[in-house]
Amino acid sequence: MTPQTEIQLIAVAAAAACALSGTFLVLRRMAMIADAVSHAVLPGIVIAFLLGGGLGSPLLAFGAALSGVATVALVEALQRTKLVKEDTAIGLVFPALFAFGVVLVSRYADHVHLDVDAVLLGELAFAPFERMIIAGRDVGPRALWIAGGALVLNVAAVSVFFKELKLVTFDPALAAALGFSPLLLHYGLMTLVSATAVASFDAVGLVLVVALMVGPAAAAWLLTDRLAVLLPLAAGLGATSAVAGYWLARWFDASIAGAMAVCVGLVFLLVFSFAPRRGLLARRRMLATQRREFAMTLLAVHLAQHEGTVDEADESRLASLHLHLHWDEDRLRRTVRDGLNRGWLRREDDRLLLEDAGRSAARTVFARAWPQGTGTTPHRI
Amino acid sequence: MSEALQLLWTDYTLRNVAAGTAVLGAVSGALGCFAVLRRRSLLGDAVSHAALPGIVLAWLLTGSKAAPVLVAGAGITGWLGAAAVSALARRERIREDTALALVLSVFFGAGLMLLTVVQGRPDASQAGLDTFLFGQAAALVERDVLTMGAVGGVAVLVLALFWKEFKLLSFDADAAAVAGYPVKLLDHLLTLLLVVAVVVGLQAVGVVLMSSLLIAPAAAARQWTNRLGRMVVLAAVIGAMSGALGAAVSGLAPGIPTGPAVVLAATAAFVVSLLFSPSRGLVSRRLRAAARDRRLRSEGDAS
C-alpha cells in the first residue's frame, strides 16, 4: 500500500467510526458532548502518559476514554445540583479539564513528545510512518489498526445493541418501562463515544472528531427517517468527506484534518440545500406550492360563497376581484391562471365562474371547517 | 504571597499581563451573564472557534499582523459563525447543539486549513498566528491592554445603555416582543457584544479556552444573588480577579501558561461558589437540611 492509500484508509475508518457513534449524539441532542468529551480526553491522555504509558499504549487509550466518561458524569452531576443549566455545565467542565491537561503538559511533559497542537489538530500526514510490527512483520500503519479497531467496535456495538439504542434514543420512558436501563445504555454510549474520540484523535485531531461525529449524522438525518438507513448513510457521508478532504488538502498543500472538516461542512451544506424533502430548496418549493394551492382554494371558496346571491356579479368581476380578496393584481392573475388550468374556473366575459370541480373543492373546505352539526354553518352552498 | 503581590506591581511585563487578563475577565464576566442566563453558554465556544479563519484571512488579505486588524477579522467570522448557528438552529431537525458543534468544528477546520496554506509560504512572520490557539498573554504590551480596555469598555457601555431591554429579553423574551421592543435587533446586539468579548480575549487566552471566561465567572456570580445587576457586577469582579490571579500564578510558576491558569482560577471561583454560597450552595443546603431534620426529630420527641 502506498502512504496515500494508507492515509485515506485511516481517515475513512475514523470518519465512519465517528459517524456511527455521533449519530446517537445528534439524535439525543448531545452534539456538544462530542466537543466536551473530545477536549476533556486531554488530561486523561497526559496522566496516562506520565504514568509511563508512552504514546500509543493501551493505558493511554484507557486513561483518555476514562476521562471522557468522567466528563459526562461530571456534567450530569453539576446539572443535578439544579444550580446550573446543562449548557453552562458543559461549558464549565470541559475547558477546565482541557486547561488542566495543558498545564500538565507544559509542567511535566514538555521535554517529551506530547504536543498539544498535535492532539488538537492531528498528524494524519505522518501516520504512515509509525508501523505496527507483529512478530517481526510490518502489518501496516499503527493508526490504521487503531482507527479500524474503533470502526469494528462501533459497528459491533451499534448492531448488537441496535434495538436498545433505538428505543432509548426515541422513547427513554418506554425503554425504562420495558426494563432496559437508560442509564446503563447512556453510559455505554458515552464510553463508546470517548473510545472513538480517543482512537480518532491520534489520526485526525480533536476538532475534526467533533466535525466527523456531528456533520455526517446531521446531514444524513435530513435524508432519511429510518435509523437503519441513517447509520450507514452517515458513515458513508463521513467517509466521503474524509476522502474529499484528503484530496483538497493535497491540492492546497494544507492541513488534512482542516480540509476534512471543511469537506464535512460542504457535504452538510449540499445536503442542507438540496435534500429531496427536507432541503432548503425543497422546502421553498413546497411552501410556494402550498401558497398557490391555498390561494386557489380561497378563490374558489369566495366564488362559491357568493354564487346565486344578489352581489354575485359584483363579487366575481375579474377587474375588481383582487380588491375583495385583499390581493394584489399579480397574485389574482396567477391564481386565476392556476384555477383555469386545473379546470376549477371558467371565464365568462369579465366574470369568473366556478366549474363543478372548483365548487366541490370549496365544499370540501366548508365541510372541514364546519363539520356537520357543529356551530354556525355558512348560509349558502 | 506578598512577594507575588509586590511583583504584580513592580514587574512591568507581569503588570501588563495581569492588567490585560483582569480587563478581559471583567468584560467577559459581565457579558457572559447574559449568555448563561439565556442558555447560550456554548455560543461563545462556537464564536471563538469561528474566529480563527477570520484571523488568518485578515492577515492574509492585509499582510498586517497588528492586533486591531486581526481582531476585526476575528470579529467578522466570529459573528458569521453566530449567525450561522442561529440560522441553522431554526430549521427542522437541526437542533441548537448540532448547529453549534457543526459551526465550531467546520469554521475551525477552515481556519486550520487556511493557516497551513499560509504557513506553507516561506515567510517568517507567520509563526505568531498559531499563538491564537492558546493565546499569548505574556506578549501583551501596554497598548494591547489599553485597546482591550477601550473595546471592552464600549461593550460594557452599550450593555449599560440597553440594560432594561436586555434584562427583559433575557427573562421574558415574549413579553419584550409584545411590549413592542425590537426583539430580533436586541438579540443581534447582544450576540454582537458576545462576539466582542470573545475576540477581545482571544489574544490572551486563545480560541480553545475563551468560552470558559464567559461562563465560569457568570455561573459563579449566579450562586450568590438573584438580582441581575448584582450578578453582572459580581461576575465582572470574579472575572477580573481570576484574570489577575491566573496571570500572577503563571508569572511566578514558570511552565504554566496564562490562559489555562486563568481558566482554572475562574473554575475554582465557581466551585467555591457552588459549595459555599449561603443561599444556594451545596454545603449550606446540606447544613440546612440537617438542621431541619434535627428540629423535626426533636419536635417529634416532644409531642
Side-chain angles (χ1 to χ4, degrees):
Chain A
M1 264 194 293
T2 62
Q4 273 193 19
T5 326
E6 286 177 351
I7 290 177
Q8 289 181 67
L9 277 178
I10 295 167
V12 164
C18 286
L20 288 179
S21 42
T23 298
F24 290 100
L25 291 181
V26 168
L27 290 175
R28 294 161 60 102
R29 300 178 185 242
M30 296 175 72
M32 282 306 274
I33 287 287
D35 189 40
V37 165
S38 65
H39 281 85
V41 295
L42 183 67
I45 293 173
V46 182
I47 291 174
F49 183 78
L50 292 174
L51 289 177
L55 279 176
S57 83
L59 183 65
L60 200 75
F62 184 71
L66 202 67
S67 60
V69 177
T71 310
V72 179
L74 210 54
V75 166
E76 282 168 2
L78 261 185
Q79 249 180 288
R80 265 198 306 276
T81 65
K82 303 246 166 77
L83 296 177
V84 290
K85 304 283 188 310
E86 185 189 8
D87 59 326
T88 308
I90 295 176
L92 279 164
V93 170
F94 84 83
L97 287 174
F98 190 78
F100 181 56
V102 174
V103 168
L104 282 182
V105 170
S106 33
R107 269 305 262 184
Y108 304 108
D110 224 11
H111 54 288
V112 289
H113 179 73
L114 182 64
D115 199 349
V116 179
D117 279 23
V119 172
L120 207 61
L121 312 176
E123 285 183 325
L124 197 48
F126 302 120
F129 295 136
E130 278 193 57
R131 312 300 296 185
M132 183 90 155
I133 311 285
I134 294 179
R137 277 189 56 217
D138 181 353
V139 289
R142 202 173 49 82
L144 184 54
W145 283 89
I146 297 178
L151 179 57
V152 171
L153 182 70
N154 270 283
V155 171
V158 166
S159 35
V160 170
F161 295 108
F162 181 77
K163 187 182 57 188
E164 286 82 357
L165 283 168
K166 187 175 175 179
L167 194 57
V168 166
T169 299
F170 292 106
D171 197 342
L174 179 64
L178 290 176
F180 297 109
S181 164
L183 197 71
L184 198 66
L185 272 163
H186 174 66
Y187 274 97
L189 182 64
M190 290 305 114
T191 312
L192 185 65
V193 167
S194 305
T196 310
V198 175
S200 316
F201 95 82
D202 192 30
V204 295
L206 291 178
V207 178
L208 183 56
V209 166
V210 180
L212 286 176
M213 282 192 171
V214 178
W221 201 22
L222 294 173
L223 292 169
T224 176
D225 292 339
R226 297 181 36 134
L227 187 59
V229 182
L230 178 55
L231 286 162
L233 193 58
L237 289 177
T240 311
S241 317
V243 173
Y246 173 74
W247 289 102
L248 185 67
R250 281 284 302 263
W251 188 270
F252 285 105
D253 193 18
S255 149
I256 299 178
M260 282 182 188
V262 169
C263 284
V264 166
L266 289 178
V267 166
F268 176 81
L269 211 59
L270 278 178
V271 172
F272 178 72
S273 310
F274 303 113
R277 271 191 19 223
R278 301 183 192 279
L280 204 60
L281 291 183
R283 288 264 138 192
R284 285 261 163 84
R285 237 187 349 251
M286 203 178 81
L287 207 63
T289 316
Q290 279 175 347
R291 278 215 185 97
R292 285 170 67 175
E293 284 290 328
F294 180 76
M296 220 158 65
T297 315
L298 194 64
L299 182 59
V301 166
H302 176 83
L303 293 174
Q305 180 79 324
H306 294 285
E307 242 181 2
T309 65
V310 282
D311 50 3
E312 186 185 356
D314 188 38
E315 292 284 349
S316 63
R317 192 168 300 124
L318 257 175
S320 58
L321 202 47
H322 62 278
L323 297 175
H324 296 286
L325 291 162
H326 301 289
W327 288 354
D328 57 47
E329 290 179 59
D330 216 37
R331 186 165 180 201
L332 180 66
R333 206 172 310 126
R334 267 178 289 135
T335 311
V336 168
R337 196 178 55 215
D338 285 345
L340 291 171
N341 286 343
R342 181 75 65 91
W344 284 15
L345 309 168
R346 83 184 118 84
R347 282 182 69 163
E348 231 163 62
D349 305 327
D350 66 333
R351 289 182 53 211
L352 209 54
L353 297 178
L354 275 177
E355 294 281 13
D356 283 343
R359 199 171 297 116
S360 81
R363 280 214 186 102
T364 320
V365 173
F366 280 121
R368 212 184 314 147
W370 292 279
Q372 296 228 312
T374 60
T376 29
T377 49
H379 40 279
R380 230 146 281 286
I381 274 201
Chain B
M1 193 64 202
S2 62
E3 197 187 346
L5 284 176
Q6 205 185 357
L7 261 182
L8 218 47
W9 287 115
T10 51
D11 186 280
Y12 174 80
T13 317
L14 191 55
R15 200 179 56 201
N16 273 332
V17 175
T21 47
V23 166
L24 158 66
V27 172
S28 53
L31 292 171
C33 288
F34 290 89
V36 166
L37 288 174
R38 303 179 70 208
R39 303 190 179 199
R40 300 223 174 130
S41 301
L42 296 171
L43 188 60
D45 199 32
V47 168
S48 69
H49 282 76
L52 186 64
I55 295 169
V56 185
L57 273 179
W59 178 61
L60 198 63
L61 293 178
T62 64
S64 156
K65 260 177 52 184
V69 175
L70 300 189
V71 163
I76 291 170
T77 53
W79 190 80
L80 277 177
V85 168
S86 65
L88 282 177
R90 275 203 315 268
R91 317 293 311 184
E92 183 195 23
R93 285 214 176 161
I94 303 173
R95 281 88 166 251
E96 183 148 28
D97 59 312
T98 305
L100 284 168
L102 198 62
V103 165
L104 87 83
S105 57
V106 170
F107 272 68
F108 188 80
L112 186 57
M113 198 184 148
L114 277 172
L115 190 64
T116 46
V117 170
V118 173
Q119 278 179 335
R121 295 184 183 174
D123 188 343
S125 64
Q126 74 234 342
L129 279 172
D130 64 6
T131 59
F132 268 91
L133 274 187
F134 297 109
Q136 206 180 26
L140 288 178
V141 293
E142 208 171 309
R143 211 183 50 212
D144 294 330
V145 177
L146 291 178
T147 314
M148 284 163 75
V151 176
V154 171
V156 172
L157 197 67
V158 174
L159 188 66
L161 276 177
F162 292 96
W163 179 258
K164 183 185 63 185
E165 286 81 0
F166 286 153
K167 191 175 181 178
L168 190 56
L169 183 70
S170 302
F171 289 106
D172 199 339
D174 294 336
V178 170
Y181 288 104
V183 173
K184 264 199 177 145
L185 205 66
L186 287 169
D187 189 37
H188 284 314
L189 190 58
L190 210 46
T191 306
L192 189 66
L193 292 184
L194 189 77
V195 172
V196 170
V198 167
V199 297
V200 163
L202 281 183
Q203 201 187 352
V205 298
V207 165
V208 184
L209 294 173
M210 184 53 221
S211 65
S212 168
L213 284 193
L214 290 166
I215 300 171
R222 174 70 189 89
Q223 308 310 322
W224 299 91
T225 175
N226 288 327
R227 301 189 58 94
L228 182 64
R230 285 180 197 160
M231 179 179 166
V232 168
V233 172
L234 202 56
V237 172
I238 293 173
M241 279 167 54
S242 312
L245 186 66
V249 167
S250 83
L252 294 170
I256 295 186
T258 313
V262 173
V263 167
L264 289 177
T267 308
F270 167 74
V271 172
V272 169
S273 310
L274 184 77
L275 292 176
F276 300 115
S277 127
S279 55
R280 293 160 55 108
L282 295 179
V283 170
S284 48
R285 204 197 267 176
R286 189 64 60 83
L287 287 178
R288 268 202 306 276
R292 190 191 54 215
D293 286 354
R294 262 200 314 279
R295 204 183 57 235
L296 286 175
R297 218 171 288 131
S298 66
E299 280 170 10
D301 290 346
S303 60

